[in-house]
Amino acid sequence: MDGPDTAAMDDITVGIIGMGEMGKMYARRLSAAGWKSTSDHLPPVLLGINACDRPEHYDALLAEFSDTANVQVYADGHLVSRRSDLILYSVEAEAIARVVSLYGHSTKQGATVGGQTSCKEIEIAAFKEHLPDDVHIVSCHSLHGPKIDPKGQPLVLIRERASPESFSLLEKVLSCLGSTHVYLTAQEHDRITADTQAVTHAAFLSMGSAWHANNQFPWEMNRYVGGIENVKCNITLRIYSNKWHVYAGLAILNAWAKRQIRQYADSVTELFKLMLGGHREELEHRIKTAGKAVFGSSANKRGLLLRDDVLDRFSLGNMPKERTPNNHLSLLAMVDCWWKLGIVPYEHMICSTPPFRLWLGVTEYLFRKPHLLNEVIRTAIEDNTFRSDDLEFTFAARAWSDCVSFGDFAKYQDRFESIQKYFEPRFAEATKIGNEMIRVILEKT
């Protein structure tokens, strides 16, 4: 199957089916770039963007993009598919098979088709089932949210059934994002995203659930302000400010993710029981064994990802005069989970998301400071200040794992949106502070 002669084409039209937050971000970035390519070895390309969403969103989308250059809004995916050279399905993983089955047969002959879901094996299977044989299949995944500047962020590119020319077209068009291209297979992508994202999301979702259950706004309490606590609060609110399906698809449809989220819930439960029972020696041995396995010799050769001055800068509340010792069950369980699953988080830094780098940074910060880790162990056994919080956190970790294990999208959405509504008044401030925190920290990682 021959690919398009991209060097000889006067212009290229890009179709985006699904204009959620990521779809809109891509449309605006491509439109702003126009003909530009940020890569020295790729020639410039003139872009026209065809876009659509669900039919009921047509009028609103048309109005929103009425003044955006090069973006033409259509009523459905048939009209986009039949006239676009490169088509990107920007829909949630749960819906990819259904949407491709609707519009796939209208794909322009010889076009290149890809998707932006977080579950590539399911996405590729949908393309192979519903697209014509004369269509090239690629895929991409920006490993960041729509509110993050894509420059320098990882962008996974997958060549599944495509000529070199067709794959080059994908590279050329997306080069305007300024992202770092990472080349993987669909299976490699799904394994790495499970390793870096699934359990990270589960931890922050569980923290939000626990604070909601205890009717707490943590930034209003001295014990949740400063240092590591700033990362917990900011990233939790950042995750809950997004759409629920961003996390549900990866968690429920990725087989590796299910196993990892279950292990995280098990690690939380087992460590909490050791704390409740006062089993200090067993708790200390397990925590330090896990820490040695995850933060061994390779980690000790590098500097810490995070420093005290950086951690303390980004607070939603007023800094207390004295820090309240915390047993950091969520962090201990994360490292325990990585250890049990044989995951070495540093191996996936090239494909890591901003929340993962922050989460790795705070766990490393804890485990590579012996005096702080010893304080955490002592607090876990002797101090009950966080005991009720830890109880709700344990319940939450198990509940989220059950949602994922049962494949219950409706329950996942209900849990997510009820907690989202509770924290919603602080999203704007948290996003502003979180963006700056991520920018500063990512400059150093």
Side-chain angles (χ1 to χ4, degrees):
M1 180 168 53
D2 295 331
D5 183 2
T6 57
M9 296 179 71
D10 293 328
D11 56 57
I12 291 171
T13 54
V14 178
I16 301 177
I17 297 177
M19 290 290 281
E21 294 302 316
M22 284 301 288
K24 290 178 181 178
M25 186 275 281
Y26 264 58
R28 291 192 173 101
R29 292 276 178 173
L30 296 179
S31 172
W35 55 270
K36 299 176 184 177
S37 170
T38 61
S39 176
D40 293 336
H41 69 278
L42 293 175
V45 58
L46 181 63
L47 297 180
I49 299 104
N50 304 319
C52 73
D53 202 79
R54 293 196 295 267
E56 61 268 26
H57 296 162
Y58 172 68
D59 290 336
L61 194 64
L62 190 64
E64 183 176 350
F65 282 85
S66 60
D67 296 327
T68 305
N70 300 332
V71 177
Q72 179 67 51
V73 175
Y74 291 94
D76 59 45
H78 295 296
L79 298 173
V80 170
S81 294
R82 65 184 293 186
R83 66 186 72 222
S84 302
D85 301 297
L86 171 63
I87 302 159
L88 298 177
Y89 282 81
S90 185
V91 301
E92 56 264 38
E94 181 191 12
I96 187 67
R98 176 177 56 80
V99 177
V100 177
S101 71
L102 284 175
Y103 304 128
H105 64 276
S106 296
T107 304
K108 181 179 179 180
Q109 185 177 7
T112 302
V113 179
Q116 297 192 73
T117 74
S118 57
C119 297
K120 292 306 179 187
E121 290 192 276
I122 289 174
E123 176 188 301
I124 296 297
F127 288 154
K128 288 183 174 180
E129 180 177 357
H130 299 294
L131 292 177
D133 292 338
D134 61 6
V135 169
H136 301 266
I137 298 175
V138 296
S139 193
C140 63
H141 186 196
S142 291
L143 296 177
H144 58 85
K147 300 170 186 174
I148 295 288
D149 184 347
K151 186 176 181 179
Q153 296 297 326
L155 171 62
V156 174
L157 300 178
I158 298 170
R159 178 182 173 187
E160 182 64 30
R161 189 185 77 193
S163 66
E165 294 81 8
S166 294
F167 192 62
S168 177
L169 173 63
L170 178 72
E171 293 178 295
K172 184 188 302 184
V173 168
L174 298 187
S175 69
C176 70
L177 299 175
S179 299
T180 300
H181 291 183
V182 181
Y183 300 92
L184 300 173
T185 65
Q187 187 177 51
E188 288 170 341
H189 167 276
D190 286 1
R191 179 59 188 268
I192 291 173
T193 52
D195 287 354
T196 57
Q197 295 185 47
V199 183
T200 304
H201 297 160
F204 288 114
L205 290 172
S206 299
M207 277 185 263
S209 296
W211 291 328
H212 175 242
N214 280 332
N215 197 30
Q216 295 171 338
F217 293 104
W219 53 86
E220 296 178 352
M221 309 170 68
N222 283 348
R223 67 176 189 255
Y224 281 117
V225 176
I228 290 173
E229 309 300 347
N230 288 345
V231 174
K232 290 181 181 179
C233 290
N234 278 303
I235 301 301
T236 296
L237 290 186
R238 187 178 197 87
I239 284 177
Y240 275 107
S241 70
N242 290 321
K243 302 290 186 181
W244 68 275
H245 63 75
V246 172
Y247 310 104
L250 167 62
I252 293 175
L253 297 176
N254 185 315
W256 284 293
K258 286 185 177 182
R259 174 171 170 257
Q260 292 172 11
I261 292 169
R262 171 52 63 186
Q263 179 58 57
Y264 184 69
D266 289 344
S267 292
V268 169
T269 303
E270 292 164 12
L271 293 178
F272 184 54
K273 286 180 178 179
L274 291 176
M275 294 177 187
L276 284 178
H279 303 296
R280 179 169 186 150
E281 289 185 8
E282 186 177 351
L283 177 67
E284 183 171 4
H285 176 73
R286 180 163 174 170
I287 289 171
K288 292 188 174 180
T289 299
K292 185 177 180 180
V294 174
F295 303 108
S297 57
S298 61
N300 290 327
K301 294 177 182 178
R302 69 179 77 212
L304 288 172
L305 296 175
L306 302 180
R307 304 190 315 270
D308 292 301
D309 60 324
V310 174
L311 287 170
D312 284 337
R313 278 176 56 186
F314 304 101
S315 176
L316 288 169
N318 297 320
M319 286 289 293
K321 293 181 179 179
E322 294 185 6
R323 179 178 56 85
T324 303
N326 190 339
N327 60 54
H328 292 301
L329 175 58
S330 60
L331 297 174
L332 300 181
M334 180 60 66
V335 176
D336 188 81
C337 175
W338 284 334
W339 168 50
K340 293 287 187 179
L341 293 171
I343 294 173
V344 180
Y346 296 101
E347 293 179 353
H348 300 320
M349 289 299 284
I350 189 61
C351 290
S352 61
T353 61
F356 174 77
R357 273 171 274 181
L358 288 168
W359 198 226
L360 173 59
V362 292
T363 55
E364 177 196 67
Y365 179 89
L366 171 60
F367 274 79
R368 289 181 57 195
K369 291 198 168 188
H371 70 282
L372 183 56
L373 187 60
N374 289 331
E375 178 189 275
V376 164
I377 294 169
R378 179 193 61 76
T379 302
I381 298 298
E382 300 176 6
D383 192 333
N384 290 328
T385 302
F386 287 89
R387 200 67 84 210
S388 63
D389 302 52
D390 292 337
L391 177 64
E392 292 293 351
F393 181 76
T394 303
F395 289 158
R398 296 176 69 88
W400 282 113
S401 179
D402 286 343
C403 275
V404 170
S405 296
F406 298 148
D408 193 338
F409 279 96
K411 184 65 175 176
Y412 195 105
Q413 180 180 7
D414 181 66
R415 285 179 58 82
F416 187 98
E417 290 183 342
S418 64
I419 299 165
Q420 182 181 59
K421 185 176 181 180
Y422 178 75
F423 288 119
E424 190 171 13
R426 296 300 292 267
F427 284 162
E429 182 182 1
T431 298
K432 182 179 179 181
I433 293 175
N435 283 346
E436 179 62 13
M437 178 177 70
I438 287 172
R439 185 191 67 78
V440 170
I441 291 173
L442 295 190
E443 285 178 353
K444 305 177 185 302
T445 59

